[in-house]
Amino acid sequence: MATFGNLTDRLTETFKKLRGKGKLSPADVDGTVREIRRALLDADVALDVVKEFTGKVRERALGDEVNKALNPAQQVVQIVNEELIGILGGEQRRLEFAKNPPTVIMLAGLQGAGKTTLAGKLAKWLASENHTPMLVAADLQRPNAVTQLQVVGEQAGVKVFAPEPGNGVGDPVRVAKDAVKFAQDKQYDIVIIDTAGRLGVDAEMMKQASDIRKATAPDEVLFVIDAMIGQDAVATAKAFQDGVDFTGVVLTKLDGDARGGAALSVASVTGRPIMFASTGEGLGDFEPFYPDRMASRILDLGDILTLIEQAQKAIDEEEALKVAEKFATDTFTLEDFLAQMQQLKNMGSIKGMLGMLPGAKGMRQQLDNFDEREITRTEAIIQSMTPSERRQPKLLNGSRRLRIAKGSGTTVTDVNQLVTRFEQAAKMMKTVAKGGMPQIPGMGPMPGGRMKQQAKKGKKGSRSGNPAKRAAEEAALAAGIQPGGAGAGGAGFGLGGAAKQGGPSEEELAALQKFLGR
């Protein structure tokens, strides 16, 4: 996650210095805690939060759980991970729905935090969870706020309640009350109220938000905060807590490259959980906030669970089984390859998914240089082929590849590279489907894999350049002996690991002497 990129780098480098140490001295612990403190302060985490966090880490790191650990460095990482989860809120909290619909969710926050866009994201996510949400345009102050919410609602495919034109016209409190009654009549089970914000905290905004809360009695009040505002996040959160109070926090713009200390400060200072996170500009770039998964991402330990959940939503299980069968039977075609690419696109940003893998920091430069449009170019190349060419790539001769390159706006080299990658991928997946271990280009055989012995066709015989050795080996072959092969059971150093005790048998020696004419 881009927001925590610098913090992740600093913490990873700090822990790297502890590796290889069988025991940690107090000086080692103090040095590590000092580096962690600097990294957090540089990330704009609130000073009080940093002091409390590093104090707990130091106390635990000097305790018996590290001194008695077989790997002290890993134990320190575990301690930091657990304490990070603590300041991020501990456990994930879900939305609390009303016993008698509709559930009313009120959004509050400063102008520019992304409330209106987030309202659409939340509505789309709730719709995917089999709810029927309705958006309410109660921000009647900001120019074109009502129009923006209507556009966002249309993109999300949800109803927008907007009886007033906005731009300073209308009573937001009355709009909010009428919206709840409308939702009851039309059987919408969730009402999301988008309220007005200001460029700064002021009394008028707080009073309006407080009046809407009293009029609608919302089940959840979500404080929307920009993850990039730094140290000011704590002051803003406290002001909203005192003026309106809220039940949960939503972080926006987590895909930015700012320091992102707000995420590590707000939950700890206010005592309110972070419930959702906005991770991009698209309406689908929205996810529930899991403190343990976020802590793992910050420490470069990966977030495999979120990756699996995204895959399960985007990939059809039946289709995946059919593709696996095609791999095993060697009938996987470029049409199937195209379908897999399109499903991969539905999962979201490729960079984001790769960033969830453990150790993604080591691929940071490659991820930054990765062009998301590469998948679009691949789609264009395959879609420029005829159906028969997609099913039988062997038909692709030079003239056909030139035609495909012109049709897709690419070069013949691009087409050649795609066909090569497809053949390599199909070969590797066929090996996996049959229970083998694929051999990745540039690497040796994978340890622990089942390597199948392939019988060599053609004339059998010795290939040695030494005439005497070649004669001896061919004599052994004539006698039914496989020198240096599976029958000899050779060890890794060229010695006969499974050789018979006492050397070759009398029959083997006799056959060798007969061949040499002795």
Side-chain angles (χ1 to χ4, degrees):
M1 193 163 286
T3 305
F4 299 110
N6 187 51
L7 178 60
T8 299
D9 292 344
R10 294 280 297 273
L11 293 177
T12 305
E13 288 299 319
T14 299
F15 296 137
K16 193 181 291 184
K17 297 174 184 176
L18 299 179
R19 292 178 188 168
K21 294 191 176 183
K23 187 174 182 180
L24 298 183
S25 66
D28 294 328
V29 173
D30 288 340
T32 301
V33 171
R34 191 182 307 114
E35 290 296 323
I36 293 172
R37 184 186 299 114
R38 289 174 179 169
L40 293 174
L41 289 173
D42 284 347
D44 276 342
V45 181
L47 180 60
D48 293 340
V49 177
V50 174
K51 284 182 177 179
E52 182 182 359
F53 177 80
T54 52
K56 289 180 179 179
V57 170
R58 185 179 187 279
E59 182 182 350
R60 291 183 60 184
L62 290 173
D64 287 342
E65 62 180 309
V66 173
N67 290 334
K68 295 180 179 179
L70 293 175
N71 192 324
Q74 286 186 2
Q75 194 65 36
V76 170
V77 174
Q78 180 65 22
I79 290 171
V80 173
N81 184 43
E82 291 171 1
E83 295 299 331
L84 264 180
I85 294 171
I87 67 171
L88 286 169
E91 295 181 357
Q92 187 228 5
R93 184 170 90 71
R94 298 176 178 272
L95 286 172
E96 293 182 359
F97 298 103
K99 293 181 180 178
N100 299 314
T103 298
V104 180
I105 301 173
M106 174 180 163
L107 303 181
L110 294 178
Q111 186 174 316
K115 291 191 304 299
T116 303
T117 305
L118 186 123
K121 291 182 176 184
L122 178 59
K124 183 177 181 180
W125 180 80
L126 287 167
S128 70
E129 297 288 315
N130 300 319
H131 292 283
T132 52
M134 182 183 78
L135 295 172
V136 180
D139 181 0
L140 306 179
Q141 307 298 321
R142 182 168 61 86
N144 293 319
V146 174
T147 305
Q148 182 190 355
L149 188 66
Q150 288 173 330
V151 171
V152 169
E154 184 179 353
Q155 291 174 344
V158 297
K159 167 72 177 175
V160 179
F161 184 80
E164 299 288 354
N167 298 326
V169 179
D171 180 6
V173 179
R174 178 175 293 277
V175 169
K177 285 181 68 175
D178 292 346
V180 176
K181 187 175 185 307
F182 181 86
Q184 288 174 336
D185 295 341
K186 301 298 182 181
Q187 296 186 339
Y188 290 98
D189 68 340
I190 295 178
V191 175
I192 302 171
I193 304 174
D194 178 30
T195 64
R198 295 290 190 278
L199 293 176
V201 177
D202 60 38
E204 183 183 352
M205 178 184 66
M206 288 300 181
K207 184 178 184 307
Q208 186 184 104
S210 180
D211 290 344
I212 292 175
R213 176 164 190 168
K214 290 175 184 176
T216 58
D219 301 279
E220 296 279 10
V221 179
L222 301 183
F223 173 52
V224 183
I225 189 166
D226 184 345
M228 302 197 298
I229 67 174
Q231 293 280 359
D232 195 43
V234 175
T236 306
K238 283 183 176 178
F240 269 89
Q241 191 171 22
D242 295 339
V244 183
D245 199 11
F246 50 85
T247 58
V249 178
V250 180
L251 292 171
T252 62
K253 306 179 186 176
L254 275 180
D255 59 322
D257 56 1
R259 296 173 180 177
L264 301 177
S265 305
V266 173
S268 181
V269 171
T270 63
R272 299 291 187 269
I274 302 173
M275 298 177 64
F276 296 99
S278 175
T279 57
E281 295 181 2
L283 290 180
D285 298 328
F286 179 81
E287 60 189 40
F289 186 87
Y290 295 88
D292 53 342
R293 300 185 190 182
M294 182 58 69
S296 292
R297 290 195 209 182
I298 292 172
L299 295 177
D300 200 30
L301 301 176
D303 184 3
I304 300 300
L305 289 177
T306 300
L307 191 60
I308 291 171
E309 288 174 0
Q310 288 184 1
Q312 287 175 336
K313 287 180 181 178
I315 296 175
D316 182 12
E317 188 174 351
E318 289 185 8
E319 188 66 28
L321 290 173
K322 290 179 182 176
V323 171
E325 186 177 346
K326 288 186 176 183
F327 277 132
T329 56
D330 204 14
T331 56
F332 186 71
T333 66
L334 279 165
E335 286 182 335
D336 303 313
F337 189 63
L338 177 62
Q340 294 296 300
M341 296 284 282
Q342 290 169 338
Q343 285 191 350
L344 192 63
K345 278 181 67 176
N346 293 336
M347 288 177 63
S349 167
I350 304 295
K351 287 184 182 179
M353 288 188 292
L354 293 174
M356 294 180 194
L357 296 174
K361 172 190 169 291
M363 302 186 293
R364 184 72 43 81
Q365 187 174 355
Q366 293 92 320
L367 290 178
D368 291 341
N369 294 333
F370 179 75
D371 187 0
E372 298 274 358
R373 294 172 298 177
E374 185 66 32
I375 293 181
T376 305
R377 284 192 285 269
T378 300
E379 285 180 324
I381 292 173
I382 298 176
Q383 288 169 344
S384 297
M385 299 177 185
T386 64
S388 58
E389 288 171 345
R390 294 179 203 170
R391 297 189 193 105
Q392 295 178 291
K394 293 180 180 179
L395 295 176
L396 296 173
N397 56 23
S399 61
R400 288 175 183 259
R401 296 187 187 209
L402 180 60
R403 188 203 77 237
I404 292 166
K406 289 180 178 179
S408 59
T410 58
T411 65
V412 175
T413 303
D414 294 330
V415 178
N416 292 340
Q417 288 175 348
L418 170 62
V419 174
T420 302
R421 287 200 304 268
F422 165 74
E423 291 172 349
Q424 289 176 345
K427 186 176 180 181
M428 288 174 62
M429 295 310 297
K430 181 183 177 182
T431 305
V432 172
K434 292 187 174 182
M437 188 70 70
Q439 189 163 337
I440 301 171
M443 298 177 63
M446 300 292 285
R450 275 194 354 230
M451 302 301 292
K452 296 186 177 181
Q453 296 285 340
Q454 293 186 349
K456 293 182 180 179
K457 296 180 180 180
K459 186 178 178 181
K460 293 183 179 180
S462 172
R463 294 184 177 181
S464 175
N466 185 323
K469 185 177 180 183
R470 183 168 65 248
E473 288 180 354
E474 288 183 353
L477 284 170
I481 306 164
Q482 190 74 22
F493 295 98
L495 301 175
K500 298 177 185 178
Q501 296 293 331
S505 65
E506 292 183 3
E507 291 81 0
E508 292 168 349
L509 288 173
L512 179 59
Q513 288 174 354
K514 182 180 179 182
F515 183 83
L516 295 174
R518 294 181 180 177

